[in-house]
Amino acid sequence: MSPVLWAIPLVIIGLILIGLLILRAQKLSEQRLKKLKDFAEQMGMEFSAKGDSALLESLSAFDLFSQSGVKITNVLHGDSEQLGYGEDFEVRILEHIYSSGESTISQTVICFRSPQLSLPDFSMRPEHFFHKIGSVLGYQDIDFESHPTAVEFSKKYLLRGKDEQKIRALFTDKVLTFLTAHPDKVCVEGSRDQLIWYQPGKIIEPEDIPAFMKEGFEVFRLFARKQN
């Protein structure tokens, strides 16, 4: 029998398997979407499967959202008062997606906009080896050396921003201790009345959003003016 004829059944089986995988992925996506909608309804939040250009523009001050090709999906929007956290300010939980080379990276981000925030522009992310090399060559990294926890924070995170004096004042011992003790790799960015918090490359499942939200509010309180 011709090798071509032998290959036909294998190709058919391969296509069937690919089709089944696509159907399974679609089903899981639909199930996740339903869970997010149900959660939003339960919490009294608005839900949108896609973010719009106005939302992306409102977040453009952050490094995370200033990259090209960024997409925003699965947006939950509400206010802190209806969520049971007191003061009335905006809260969004969304999925941020962007392409880096041949890979696509996604993460769940919680965003706050509040008059309690008056922040210099800054970004904080896990520090990697190439950052350490860059700092030797003049790449900015705001380090703290006042006590052991501060030194450990500086080893763990890359902190950058134009107004170094204000950023140093913002990152109090309480902030440094909380972030240094956190078991996961986390990112924080601030700009004026906005603050975002996320774990790089991690999508939060619907059933884990309450815990993610609770932690997000803890971070918000660290940077809110009444706490500093």
Side-chain angles (χ1 to χ4, degrees):
M1 183 180 290
S2 169
V4 175
L5 295 178
W6 275 107
I8 291 175
L10 296 177
V11 171
I12 293 173
I13 292 172
L15 291 174
I16 291 173
L17 290 175
I18 291 172
L20 290 174
L21 288 174
I22 292 174
L23 288 174
R24 184 174 184 274
Q26 289 177 341
K27 184 177 181 180
L28 290 174
S29 179
E30 290 171 358
Q31 290 174 344
R32 188 168 190 279
L33 191 64
K34 184 179 185 305
K35 287 181 181 180
L36 288 170
K37 289 179 178 178
D38 290 344
F39 177 80
E41 183 176 353
Q42 176 186 349
M43 299 299 294
M45 302 178 77
E46 298 176 5
F47 176 80
S48 174
K50 293 183 179 180
D52 56 28
S53 58
L55 175 57
L56 190 58
E57 176 63 26
S58 72
L59 296 167
S60 61
F62 298 115
D63 288 347
L64 184 67
F65 294 93
S66 63
Q67 301 156 349
S68 61
V70 169
K71 294 182 181 179
I72 296 175
T73 64
N74 296 333
V75 183
L76 293 90
H77 179 215
D79 63 66
S80 59
E81 191 171 26
Q82 74 187 60
L83 295 173
Y85 288 94
E87 304 289 336
D88 186 7
F89 54 85
E90 280 189 281
V91 182
R92 282 187 174 86
I93 298 171
L94 55 84
E95 292 173 12
H96 167 279
I97 304 169
Y98 74 100
S99 295
S100 176
E102 296 180 356
S103 62
T104 299
I105 300 172
S106 305
Q107 48 246 322
T108 301
V109 184
I110 186 167
C111 312
F112 301 96
R113 181 187 287 271
S114 168
Q116 294 181 39
L117 297 171
S118 181
L119 306 173
D121 288 355
F122 73 87
S123 66
M124 186 211 82
R125 67 191 67 177
E127 187 168 25
H128 301 295
F129 178 71
F130 64 87
H131 292 142
K132 297 181 186 296
I133 295 176
S135 65
V136 174
L137 300 175
Y139 187 77
Q140 185 194 32
D141 181 10
I142 301 172
D143 287 332
F144 298 85
E145 300 177 350
S146 56
H147 51 80
T149 299
V151 173
E152 188 62 29
F153 169 87
S154 295
K155 291 179 180 178
K156 187 175 181 180
Y157 290 110
L158 174 73
L159 178 61
R160 306 189 70 216
K162 290 182 178 180
D163 196 329
E164 183 171 335
Q165 184 176 354
K166 287 185 178 180
I167 293 170
R168 287 185 176 278
L170 181 68
F171 277 73
T172 62
D173 288 348
K174 184 176 181 180
V175 174
L176 295 176
T177 299
F178 177 91
L179 294 170
T180 303
H182 198 286
D184 300 311
K185 295 180 179 180
V186 296
C187 298
V188 188
E189 292 190 48
S191 179
R192 300 184 182 182
D193 63 347
Q194 295 188 86
L195 180 76
I196 64 173
W197 161 266
Y198 63 98
Q199 294 181 38
K202 182 174 182 179
I203 289 290
I204 305 299
E205 295 303 324
E207 57 270 22
D208 297 325
I209 288 179
F212 176 67
M213 187 183 299
K214 181 180 179 181
E215 186 173 63
F217 273 94
E218 290 179 17
V219 175
F220 169 84
R221 293 189 187 99
L222 287 174
F223 290 97
R225 281 183 295 184
K226 65 179 182 181
Q227 294 294 326
N228 295 305

